[in-house]
Amino acid sequence: MTTTSIPRPEHRRHVKAVAAGPHERGAARGEQLRGTLPAAIDVYDRLFALGGITPAGVRADAERALDTIDAFRSGARAEIEGIARGAHVEPWRVAALNARTEILARSSTVPPGECTTVVRRVAGGGGREPRTFGVQTWDWHVELSALWHTVEVRGGRHDVVGLTEDGILGKIGVNSAGLALHFNILGHVRDGVGGVPVHVLAAVVLEEAGSVAEAVEIVRGAPVASSGSFALFDGTDAVLLDLSPVGVFAVEPEDGTFLRTNHFLTPVPAAGEKTWLYQPDSGERRDFVRARLARRGAPDTLDDLTGFLVTGDGEPPVTCLPDLAAPLGRRWASLATVALEPAARTARILDGTPADIGSRDWRVLVAG
Protein backbone atom coordinates (compact mmCIF):
# COMPACT_ATOMS: atom_id res chain seq x y z
CA MET A 1 0.00 0.00 0.00
CA THR A 2 1.29 3.45 -0.93
CA THR A 3 0.82 5.88 1.93
CA THR A 4 1.79 9.49 2.32
CA SER A 5 1.55 12.36 4.72
CA ILE A 6 -1.75 14.19 4.86
CA PRO A 7 -2.08 17.44 2.88
CA ARG A 8 -3.03 20.23 5.26
CA PRO A 9 -3.61 23.98 4.92
CA GLU A 10 -0.84 26.25 6.13
CA HIS A 11 -3.24 27.90 8.58
CA ARG A 12 -6.18 25.92 9.97
CA ARG A 13 -9.31 28.07 10.16
CA HIS A 14 -10.85 28.96 13.50
CA VAL A 15 -14.52 29.94 13.25
CA LYS A 16 -15.93 32.06 16.08
CA ALA A 17 -19.61 32.92 16.38
CA VAL A 18 -20.93 35.05 19.23
CA ALA A 19 -24.62 36.00 19.19
CA ALA A 20 -27.70 35.61 21.34
CA GLY A 21 -29.81 33.94 18.65
CA PRO A 22 -29.12 30.69 16.77
CA HIS A 23 -29.83 32.18 13.32
CA GLU A 24 -27.38 34.98 14.00
CA ARG A 25 -24.76 32.52 15.25
CA GLY A 26 -25.26 30.46 12.12
CA ALA A 27 -24.97 33.51 9.87
CA ALA A 28 -21.70 34.46 11.54
CA ARG A 29 -20.38 30.96 10.93
CA GLY A 30 -21.56 30.94 7.34
CA GLU A 31 -19.90 34.26 6.55
CA GLN A 32 -16.56 32.87 7.71
CA LEU A 33 -17.06 29.70 5.62
CA ARG A 34 -18.24 31.41 2.45
CA GLY A 35 -14.98 30.73 0.63
CA THR A 36 -14.74 27.02 1.47
CA LEU A 37 -18.28 25.71 1.92
CA PRO A 38 -18.82 25.14 -1.83
CA ALA A 39 -15.78 22.84 -1.86
CA ALA A 40 -17.20 20.81 1.04
CA ILE A 41 -20.53 20.55 -0.76
CA ASP A 42 -18.72 19.36 -3.90
CA VAL A 43 -16.82 16.60 -2.06
CA TYR A 44 -20.01 15.29 -0.51
CA ASP A 45 -21.85 15.53 -3.82
CA ARG A 46 -19.18 13.22 -5.26
CA LEU A 47 -19.40 10.84 -2.30
CA PHE A 48 -23.21 10.74 -2.53
CA ALA A 49 -23.01 10.06 -6.26
CA LEU A 50 -20.42 7.35 -5.68
CA GLY A 51 -22.89 5.72 -3.31
CA GLY A 52 -25.59 5.73 -5.96
CA ILE A 53 -27.63 8.51 -4.35
CA THR A 54 -29.09 10.89 -6.92
CA PRO A 55 -29.05 14.69 -6.48
CA ALA A 56 -32.85 14.62 -6.18
CA GLY A 57 -32.56 11.94 -3.51
CA VAL A 58 -29.99 13.96 -1.57
CA ARG A 59 -32.23 17.03 -1.64
CA ALA A 60 -35.27 15.05 -0.51
CA ASP A 61 -33.27 13.46 2.32
CA ALA A 62 -31.87 16.85 3.36
CA GLU A 63 -35.27 18.53 3.42
CA ARG A 64 -36.74 15.65 5.40
CA ALA A 65 -33.85 15.91 7.87
CA LEU A 66 -34.42 19.65 8.19
CA ASP A 67 -38.08 19.11 9.11
CA THR A 68 -37.09 16.49 11.71
CA ILE A 69 -34.49 18.85 13.17
CA ASP A 70 -37.11 21.61 13.34
CA ALA A 71 -39.50 19.38 15.29
CA PHE A 72 -36.72 18.39 17.71
CA ARG A 73 -34.99 21.75 18.19
CA SER A 74 -36.15 24.67 16.08
CA GLY A 75 -33.02 26.57 17.10
CA ALA A 76 -30.82 23.99 15.37
CA ARG A 77 -32.78 24.47 12.16
CA ALA A 78 -32.42 28.24 12.54
CA GLU A 79 -28.67 27.89 12.93
CA ILE A 80 -28.41 25.71 9.80
CA GLU A 81 -30.44 28.25 7.85
CA GLY A 82 -28.21 31.00 9.24
CA ILE A 83 -25.10 29.19 7.96
CA ALA A 84 -26.74 28.96 4.55
CA ARG A 85 -27.57 32.66 4.56
CA GLY A 86 -24.10 33.68 5.65
CA ALA A 87 -22.41 31.42 3.09
CA HIS A 88 -24.83 32.31 0.24
CA VAL A 89 -25.98 28.73 -0.39
CA GLU A 90 -29.38 27.07 -0.30
CA PRO A 91 -30.46 25.78 3.14
CA TRP A 92 -30.96 22.21 1.90
CA ARG A 93 -27.30 22.15 0.93
CA VAL A 94 -26.23 22.81 4.53
CA ALA A 95 -28.86 20.38 5.79
CA ALA A 96 -27.34 17.68 3.56
CA LEU A 97 -23.93 18.25 5.12
CA ASN A 98 -25.40 17.94 8.62
CA ALA A 99 -27.21 14.74 7.58
CA ARG A 100 -24.27 13.33 5.61
CA THR A 101 -23.96 10.31 7.93
CA GLU A 102 -27.60 9.41 7.46
CA ILE A 103 -27.58 10.00 3.70
CA LEU A 104 -24.39 7.98 3.22
CA ALA A 105 -25.99 5.15 5.22
CA ARG A 106 -27.91 4.41 2.03
CA SER A 107 -24.63 3.66 0.25
CA SER A 108 -22.88 0.30 0.12
CA THR A 109 -19.89 1.62 -1.81
CA VAL A 110 -18.75 4.45 0.49
CA PRO A 111 -17.91 2.85 3.84
CA PRO A 112 -17.80 4.98 7.00
CA GLY A 113 -14.56 6.28 8.47
CA GLU A 114 -12.62 4.89 11.34
CA CYS A 115 -11.98 6.67 14.63
CA THR A 116 -10.50 5.51 17.93
CA THR A 117 -11.51 7.03 21.29
CA VAL A 118 -10.26 6.46 24.82
CA VAL A 119 -11.86 8.11 27.86
CA ARG A 120 -10.52 7.68 31.37
CA ARG A 121 -12.30 8.17 34.69
CA VAL A 122 -9.70 8.18 37.43
CA ALA A 123 -11.19 7.44 40.83
CA GLY A 124 -10.75 9.95 43.60
CA GLY A 125 -9.35 9.23 47.02
CA GLY A 126 -7.78 10.97 49.96
CA GLY A 127 -10.29 13.79 49.72
CA ARG A 128 -9.81 14.19 45.96
CA GLU A 129 -12.67 14.15 43.45
CA PRO A 130 -12.61 11.73 40.50
CA ARG A 131 -11.13 13.11 37.26
CA THR A 132 -12.02 12.48 33.65
CA PHE A 133 -10.25 13.10 30.34
CA GLY A 134 -10.31 11.70 26.82
CA VAL A 135 -8.60 11.59 23.45
CA GLN A 136 -9.59 10.48 19.98
CA THR A 137 -8.52 10.41 16.39
CA TRP A 138 -10.92 11.83 13.85
CA ASP A 139 -10.46 9.72 10.72
CA TRP A 140 -12.30 10.59 7.53
CA HIS A 141 -11.82 11.10 3.79
CA VAL A 142 -8.55 12.85 2.96
CA GLU A 143 -10.42 14.93 0.37
CA LEU A 144 -11.87 16.83 3.34
CA SER A 145 -8.51 17.54 4.99
CA ALA A 146 -8.75 21.28 4.25
CA LEU A 147 -12.51 21.47 4.90
CA TRP A 148 -12.73 21.26 8.68
CA HIS A 149 -12.09 23.89 11.32
CA THR A 150 -11.86 24.52 15.01
CA VAL A 151 -14.96 26.25 16.33
CA GLU A 152 -15.98 28.54 19.17
CA VAL A 153 -19.70 29.24 19.58
CA ARG A 154 -20.91 31.55 22.34
CA GLY A 155 -24.35 32.86 23.18
CA GLY A 156 -26.46 29.73 23.68
CA ARG A 157 -27.18 28.09 27.02
CA HIS A 158 -23.54 26.97 27.16
CA ASP A 159 -20.55 28.12 25.17
CA VAL A 160 -18.90 25.39 23.09
CA VAL A 161 -15.41 24.87 21.67
CA GLY A 162 -14.15 22.00 19.56
CA LEU A 163 -13.85 20.71 16.02
CA THR A 164 -16.31 20.27 13.19
CA GLU A 165 -16.53 20.12 9.41
CA ASP A 166 -17.41 23.11 7.25
CA GLY A 167 -21.17 23.63 7.42
CA ILE A 168 -21.83 21.03 10.14
CA LEU A 169 -23.15 22.31 13.48
CA GLY A 170 -21.02 20.11 15.73
CA LYS A 171 -18.92 17.04 16.21
CA ILE A 172 -16.34 16.84 19.02
CA GLY A 173 -15.94 19.33 21.85
CA VAL A 174 -16.45 20.60 25.40
CA ASN A 175 -18.76 23.24 26.81
CA SER A 176 -18.57 25.93 29.46
CA ALA A 177 -20.43 23.74 31.97
CA GLY A 178 -17.64 21.17 31.73
CA LEU A 179 -19.37 18.54 29.59
CA ALA A 180 -17.21 16.87 26.93
CA LEU A 181 -18.23 14.75 23.94
CA HIS A 182 -16.20 12.38 21.76
CA PHE A 183 -17.90 11.05 18.63
CA ASN A 184 -17.55 7.82 16.60
CA ILE A 185 -19.67 6.47 13.75
CA LEU A 186 -21.25 3.00 13.98
CA GLY A 187 -23.39 1.11 11.48
CA HIS A 188 -26.70 -0.74 11.74
CA VAL A 189 -28.77 -2.34 8.97
CA ARG A 190 -31.69 -0.06 9.83
CA ASP A 191 -29.69 3.17 9.54
CA GLY A 192 -31.16 5.87 7.34
CA VAL A 193 -32.81 9.27 7.14
CA GLY A 194 -35.81 10.04 9.33
CA GLY A 195 -34.34 10.91 12.71
CA VAL A 196 -32.28 13.74 14.11
CA PRO A 197 -28.86 13.60 12.40
CA VAL A 198 -26.22 12.45 14.85
CA HIS A 199 -24.02 15.50 14.16
CA VAL A 200 -26.91 17.82 14.98
CA LEU A 201 -27.63 15.80 18.12
CA ALA A 202 -24.00 16.20 19.21
CA ALA A 203 -24.26 19.97 18.75
CA VAL A 204 -27.51 20.14 20.73
CA VAL A 205 -26.04 18.10 23.58
CA LEU A 206 -23.00 20.36 23.84
CA GLU A 207 -25.08 23.53 23.74
CA GLU A 208 -27.72 22.42 26.24
CA ALA A 209 -26.38 19.80 28.65
CA GLY A 210 -24.61 20.81 31.86
CA SER A 211 -23.76 17.28 33.00
CA VAL A 212 -23.56 13.68 31.85
CA ALA A 213 -27.03 13.04 33.28
CA GLU A 214 -28.54 15.93 31.30
CA ALA A 215 -26.74 14.82 28.15
CA VAL A 216 -28.04 11.25 28.42
CA GLU A 217 -31.58 12.57 28.93
CA ILE A 218 -31.33 14.64 25.72
CA VAL A 219 -29.96 11.70 23.74
CA ARG A 220 -32.60 9.28 24.99
CA GLY A 221 -35.31 11.81 24.10
CA ALA A 222 -34.12 12.25 20.52
CA PRO A 223 -35.67 10.38 17.58
CA VAL A 224 -32.55 8.62 16.25
CA ALA A 225 -32.61 6.76 12.93
CA SER A 226 -28.88 6.22 12.42
CA SER A 227 -26.00 4.95 14.50
CA GLY A 228 -23.11 6.48 16.37
CA SER A 229 -21.32 6.61 19.65
CA PHE A 230 -21.11 9.46 22.14
CA ALA A 231 -18.55 9.32 24.91
CA LEU A 232 -19.94 11.84 27.38
CA PHE A 233 -18.01 12.99 30.42
CA ASP A 234 -18.06 15.86 32.87
CA GLY A 235 -15.66 16.63 35.69
CA THR A 236 -16.47 13.49 37.67
CA ASP A 237 -18.72 11.21 35.64
CA ALA A 238 -18.47 9.42 32.27
CA VAL A 239 -20.64 7.23 30.06
CA LEU A 240 -20.20 5.59 26.66
CA LEU A 241 -23.33 5.16 24.55
CA ASP A 242 -24.26 2.97 21.59
CA LEU A 243 -26.77 5.01 19.56
CA SER A 244 -28.84 3.12 17.01
CA PRO A 245 -32.29 2.93 15.39
CA VAL A 246 -33.14 0.12 17.85
CA GLY A 247 -32.28 2.14 20.95
CA VAL A 248 -29.59 3.78 23.05
CA PHE A 249 -27.46 1.52 25.25
CA ALA A 250 -24.74 2.25 27.82
CA VAL A 251 -21.40 0.44 27.69
CA GLU A 252 -19.69 -0.67 30.88
CA PRO A 253 -16.15 0.65 31.49
CA GLU A 254 -13.12 -1.54 32.04
CA ASP A 255 -11.05 -0.39 35.01
CA GLY A 256 -12.32 3.16 34.61
CA THR A 257 -11.59 3.17 30.87
CA PHE A 258 -13.98 3.49 27.94
CA LEU A 259 -12.47 2.33 24.65
CA ARG A 260 -14.32 2.81 21.37
CA THR A 261 -13.59 2.11 17.74
CA ASN A 262 -16.42 1.58 15.21
CA HIS A 263 -18.50 -1.39 16.29
CA PHE A 264 -21.29 -1.81 18.81
CA LEU A 265 -20.31 -2.91 22.29
CA THR A 266 -23.78 -3.88 23.51
CA PRO A 267 -25.69 -6.95 22.28
CA VAL A 268 -29.01 -5.54 21.03
CA PRO A 269 -27.68 -3.20 18.31
CA ALA A 270 -24.75 -5.55 17.62
CA ALA A 271 -27.24 -8.13 16.35
CA GLY A 272 -28.00 -5.83 13.40
CA GLU A 273 -24.54 -4.43 12.81
CA LYS A 274 -23.09 -3.79 9.35
CA THR A 275 -20.08 -5.93 10.15
CA TRP A 276 -19.01 -6.07 6.50
CA LEU A 277 -18.21 -2.34 6.65
CA TYR A 278 -16.31 -2.25 9.92
CA GLN A 279 -14.67 -5.58 10.53
CA PRO A 280 -12.10 -6.83 11.01
CA ASP A 281 -10.51 -3.35 11.18
CA SER A 282 -12.57 -2.00 14.10
CA GLY A 283 -12.04 -5.07 16.27
CA GLU A 284 -8.33 -5.18 15.50
CA ARG A 285 -7.84 -1.54 16.48
CA ARG A 286 -9.81 -1.94 19.71
CA ASP A 287 -8.01 -5.14 20.66
CA PHE A 288 -4.63 -3.52 19.98
CA VAL A 289 -5.27 -0.47 22.17
CA ARG A 290 -6.92 -2.61 24.85
CA ALA A 291 -3.87 -4.87 25.02
CA ARG A 292 -1.57 -1.85 25.14
CA LEU A 293 -3.55 -0.40 28.04
CA ALA A 294 -3.37 -3.73 29.88
CA ARG A 295 0.35 -4.07 29.24
CA ARG A 296 1.41 -0.54 30.15
CA GLY A 297 -1.29 0.25 32.67
CA ALA A 298 -4.02 2.81 32.07
CA PRO A 299 -2.55 6.31 32.46
CA ASP A 300 -3.66 8.88 35.02
CA THR A 301 -2.97 11.97 32.90
CA LEU A 302 -4.23 13.20 29.57
CA ASP A 303 -0.72 13.76 28.21
CA ASP A 304 0.16 10.13 28.85
CA LEU A 305 -3.10 8.91 27.32
CA THR A 306 -2.55 10.57 23.93
CA GLY A 307 0.46 8.37 23.20
CA PHE A 308 -1.67 5.23 23.33
CA LEU A 309 -3.10 6.11 19.88
CA VAL A 310 0.25 6.14 18.07
CA THR A 311 0.72 3.16 15.75
CA GLY A 312 3.14 2.33 12.96
CA ASP A 313 3.92 -0.18 10.24
CA GLY A 314 2.55 -3.65 10.90
CA GLU A 315 0.10 -2.43 13.56
CA PRO A 316 -3.64 -1.77 13.24
CA PRO A 317 -4.09 1.76 11.83
CA VAL A 318 -5.11 3.69 14.92
CA THR A 319 -2.83 6.34 13.44
CA CYS A 320 -4.28 6.36 9.93
CA LEU A 321 -2.40 7.56 6.84
CA PRO A 322 -4.08 7.73 3.44
CA ASP A 323 -3.47 5.48 0.50
CA LEU A 324 -3.54 8.06 -2.28
CA ALA A 325 -3.53 5.30 -4.89
CA ALA A 326 -6.96 4.22 -3.66
CA PRO A 327 -10.11 5.58 -5.33
CA LEU A 328 -12.40 8.29 -3.96
CA GLY A 329 -14.18 7.05 -0.87
CA ARG A 330 -11.29 4.79 0.20
CA ARG A 331 -8.58 7.32 1.13
CA TRP A 332 -8.83 7.30 4.92
CA ALA A 333 -6.71 9.60 7.08
CA SER A 334 -6.42 10.75 10.69
CA LEU A 335 -7.40 14.34 9.93
CA ALA A 336 -7.11 15.46 13.56
CA THR A 337 -6.36 14.34 17.10
CA VAL A 338 -8.57 15.79 19.85
CA ALA A 339 -7.96 15.76 23.62
CA LEU A 340 -10.71 16.94 25.99
CA GLU A 341 -10.51 17.84 29.67
CA PRO A 342 -13.88 18.87 31.11
CA ALA A 343 -12.63 20.09 34.50
CA ALA A 344 -10.59 22.75 32.68
CA ARG A 345 -13.31 23.27 30.00
CA THR A 346 -10.51 22.71 27.51
CA ALA A 347 -10.25 21.17 24.06
CA ARG A 348 -6.80 20.57 22.60
CA ILE A 349 -6.88 19.99 18.86
CA LEU A 350 -3.92 18.78 16.83
CA ASP A 351 -3.97 19.35 13.09
CA GLY A 352 -2.22 16.02 12.72
CA THR A 353 -2.18 12.34 13.61
CA PRO A 354 -1.25 11.00 17.03
CA ALA A 355 2.22 10.32 15.61
CA ASP A 356 2.57 14.09 15.04
CA ILE A 357 2.30 14.86 18.76
CA GLY A 358 5.46 16.70 19.75
CA SER A 359 6.26 17.86 16.22
CA ARG A 360 3.11 19.94 15.69
CA ASP A 361 1.47 22.36 18.10
CA TRP A 362 -1.88 21.77 19.78
CA ARG A 363 -4.50 24.48 19.38
CA VAL A 364 -5.90 25.01 22.87
CA LEU A 365 -9.47 26.26 23.18
CA VAL A 366 -11.22 27.08 26.47
CA ALA A 367 -15.01 27.10 26.63
CA GLY A 368 -15.25 29.23 29.76
Side-chain angles (χ1 to χ4, degrees), residues 84-239:
R85 190 191 82 183
H88 295 174
V89 300
E90 294 180 85
W92 75 266
R93 285 294 198 172
V94 182
L97 296 177
N98 281 271
R100 54 89 156 163
T101 299
E102 290 69 25
I103 297 171
L104 285 172
R106 297 182 182 276
S107 168
S108 60
T109 58
V110 182
E114 51 178 46
C115 302
T116 304
T117 297
V118 187
V119 171
R120 286 277 292 144
R121 183 182 184 274
V122 179
R128 294 174 297 176
E129 289 287 320
R131 293 180 295 110
T132 65
F133 48 89
V135 63
Q136 79 164 95
T137 59
W138 174 47
D139 302 345
W140 197 225
H141 302 283
V142 75
E143 289 82 5
L144 290 152
S145 63
L147 301 173
W148 64 269
H149 58 274
T150 60
V151 66
E152 179 179 353
V153 181
R154 301 186 186 277
R157 180 183 178 192
H158 301 299
D159 298 336
V160 178
V161 297
L163 169 156
T164 192
E165 297 175 60
D166 290 2
I168 295 181
L169 292 188
K171 187 184 297 288
I172 305 160
V174 65
N175 70 19
S176 53
L179 177 79
L181 186 153
H182 283 299
F183 186 120
N184 293 56
I185 292 298
L186 309 176
H188 192 277
V189 294
R190 289 176 55 182
D191 286 345
V193 178
V196 176
V198 286
H199 282 87
V200 174
L201 182 56
V204 168
V205 166
L206 284 171
E207 182 182 338
E208 294 186 4
S211 66
V212 167
E214 288 184 7
V216 171
E217 183 177 2
I218 292 170
V219 172
R220 291 194 182 279
V224 173
S226 59
S227 300
S229 166
F230 291 172
L232 300 161
F233 49 114
D234 55 30
T236 60
D237 195 12
V239 66

Side-chain angles (χ1 to χ4, degrees), residues 214-274:
E214 288 184 7
V216 171
E217 183 177 2
I218 292 170
V219 172
R220 291 194 182 279
V224 173
S226 59
S227 300
S229 166
F230 291 172
L232 300 161
F233 49 114
D234 55 30
T236 60
D237 195 12
V239 66
L240 180 63
L241 300 179
D242 279 349
L243 282 65
S244 77
V246 296
V248 176
F249 304 88
V251 178
E252 290 298 318
E254 297 182 31
D255 190 27
T257 302
F258 295 97
L259 173 57
R260 165 71 75 190
T261 49
N262 298 98
H263 60 279
F264 291 108
L265 298 174
T266 55
V268 173
E273 185 166 57
K274 294 179 178 178

